[in-house]
């Protein structure tokens, strides 16, 4: 009896997989080093919730302004170079934001960081999908899991710096330098060649070649509707992530009176649980289908955070953010993968559009939550999290069901 066994990928492909993982890690860690510093920056600048929400919205505003250019840059310079270049400049923007002495400088620095992050986001996902096609199996959730590891690492670095009394300048400079060096080293091991090259199929032990996904002719209006639904799914995921990034620390410290170091655990819990969800995400999707996984996750996020807001305690809120992070873990990777395979679009176009439009969640969420918080309370503003879970439940029909 002959048993087909997948051969190990080529050494260059394995190195490229590690390199992409490093790029995702640095991308998650850079911004996470700044987030726990937000309450200090807000206090030093002497601004209210609404002004703070508008200021931090500069990050997604920069991403939206520059985002559509990402696809062009990737096709011209290569996804690996764009990802690394974006990483270096994101670090510069984050350092400038941490040192800002006015709201205008703070917002301007975040605008720059957001624009560069948009380039990095599209480019690293494009390169990750190239590696995935070479492997012939799903890897994209694992890359996003590494992003979550980076975010937990960055948030923990910031919490430690705060606890040790390290000033923002030296802390953020150290972070920028370390992760810039890591990204530059990773560039050496990324895949060579143009982004439009045909990726080889993976050979099996019997000499067969496993077919890889191919693009089919345009499906017209249906493709547009599917793309719109994918944008909503990805946007819902970003709304939850933004709640953790922009408001978890403030909610725990101001509304629930947690200490500064403990308040940082809300965001760390969200991205930590998100990491766990992405680690098991590929296997769950292979077994149950993308649609069922997304629906289950949306329900977990809505119920978990809904209960945390209904009964506000520090431990319960931390667990609520963890439930939200676990629930939305596969949403953005799923939307990006599905968009990259949409029929009738140029390579990278669907990915760029979803990445660009989903950032509307990051743009609209901070000022909306801030305005609601000033008018009522931040607890009410954070209802955006369970509402995002309900939105996903309405849109998951466009995702792939379980393969029979």
């Amino acid at each position: 009896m002959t048993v087909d066994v997948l051969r190990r990928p080529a050494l260059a492909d394995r190195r490229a997989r590690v390199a992409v993982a490093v790029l995702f890690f640095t991308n998650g860690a850079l911004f996470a080093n700044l987030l726990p510093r937000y309450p200090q920056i807000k206090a030093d600048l002497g601004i209210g919730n609404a002004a703070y929400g508008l200021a931090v919205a500069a990050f997604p505003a920069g991403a939206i302004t520059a985002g559509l250019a990402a696809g062009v840059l990737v096709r011209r310079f290569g996804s690996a170079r764009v990802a690394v270049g974006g990483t270096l400049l994101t670090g510069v923007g984050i350092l400038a934001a941490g040192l800002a002495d006015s709201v205008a400088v703070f917002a301007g620095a975040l605008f720059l960081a957001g624009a560069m992050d948009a380039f990095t986001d599209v480019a690293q996902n494009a390169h990750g999908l190239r590696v995935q096609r070479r492997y012939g199996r799903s890897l994209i959730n694992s890359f996003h899991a590494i992003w979550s590891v980076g975010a937990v690492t960055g948030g923990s670095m910031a919490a430690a710096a705060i606890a040790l009394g390290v000033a923002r300048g030296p802390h953020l400079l150290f972070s920028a330098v370390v992760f810039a060096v890591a990204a530059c080293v990773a560039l050496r091991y990324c895949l060579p060649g143009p982004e439009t090259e045909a990726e080889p199929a993976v050979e099996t032990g019997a000499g067969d070649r496993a077919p890889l996904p191919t693009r089919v002719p345009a499906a017209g209006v249906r493709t547009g509707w599917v793309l719109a639904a994918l944008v909503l799914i990805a946007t819902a995921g970003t709304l939850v992530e933004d709640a953790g990034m922009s408001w978890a620390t403030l909610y725990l410290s101001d509304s629930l009176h947690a200490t500064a170091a403990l308040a940082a655990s809300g965001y760390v819990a969200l991205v930590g649980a998100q990491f766990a969800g992405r680690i098991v995400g590929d296997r769950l999707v292979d077994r149950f289908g993308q649609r069922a996984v997304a629906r289950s996750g949306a329900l977990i996020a809505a119920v978990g955070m809904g209960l945390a807001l209904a009964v506000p305690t520090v431990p319960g809120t931390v667990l609520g953010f963890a439930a939200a992070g676990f629930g939305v873990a596969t949403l953005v990777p799923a939307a990006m993968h599905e968009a990259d395979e949409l029929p009738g679009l140029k390579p990278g176009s669907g990915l760029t559009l979803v990445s660009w439009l989903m950032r509307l969640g990051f743009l609209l969420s901070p000022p909306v939550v801030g305005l609601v918080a000033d008018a009522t309370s931040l607890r009410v503003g954070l209802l955006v999290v369970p509402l995002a879970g309900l939105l996903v439940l309405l849109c998951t029909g466009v995702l792939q069901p379980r393969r029979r």
Side-chain angles (χ1 to χ4, degrees), residues 223-274:
T223 297
W225 283 111
V226 171
L227 181 62
L230 293 175
V231 168
L232 289 176
I233 291 172
T235 300
T238 61
L239 283 172
V240 175
E241 290 182 18
D242 178 73
M245 288 193 298
S246 299
W247 301 104
T249 304
L250 283 174
Y251 179 63
L252 284 162
S253 61
D254 293 355
S255 300
L256 301 183
H257 310 295
T259 63
L262 182 59
S265 65
Y267 174 67
V268 173
L270 185 145
V271 294
Q274 190 179 58

Side-chain angles (χ1 to χ4, degrees), residues 92-254:
V92 172
I94 288 172
L95 176 60
L99 297 175
D101 57 1
S102 69
V103 177
V105 174
F106 178 57
L110 288 180
F111 186 92
L112 169 65
M116 296 304 102
D117 181 74
F119 295 156
T120 301
D121 186 40
V122 172
Q124 69 186 10
N125 276 284
H127 209 78
L129 289 170
R130 282 187 66 190
V131 174
Q132 176 173 286
R133 287 191 288 272
R134 283 180 175 259
Y135 269 69
R137 58 185 173 86
S138 178
L139 299 175
I140 192 64
N141 280 297
S142 65
F143 288 137
H144 283 259
I146 297 299
W147 183 95
S148 297
V149 174
V152 170
T153 302
S156 300
M157 288 171 61
I162 292 170
L164 294 173
V166 179
R168 290 197 299 270
H171 160 221
L172 295 176
L173 177 61
F174 174 79
S175 169
V177 171
V178 167
F179 296 122
V181 171
C184 289
V185 172
L187 177 61
R188 180 179 179 183
Y189 299 101
C190 289
L191 294 175
E195 299 304 309
T196 56
E197 69 174 343
E199 306 294 352
V202 176
E203 296 184 358
T204 65
D208 298 327
R209 295 178 71 80
L212 294 170
T214 55
R215 300 177 191 276
V216 296
V221 175
R222 184 179 182 280
T223 297
W225 283 111
V226 171
L227 181 62
L230 293 175
V231 168
L232 289 176
I233 291 172
T235 300
T238 61
L239 283 172
V240 175
E241 290 182 18
D242 178 73
M245 288 193 298
S246 299
W247 301 104
T249 304
L250 283 174
Y251 179 63
L252 284 162
S253 61
D254 293 355

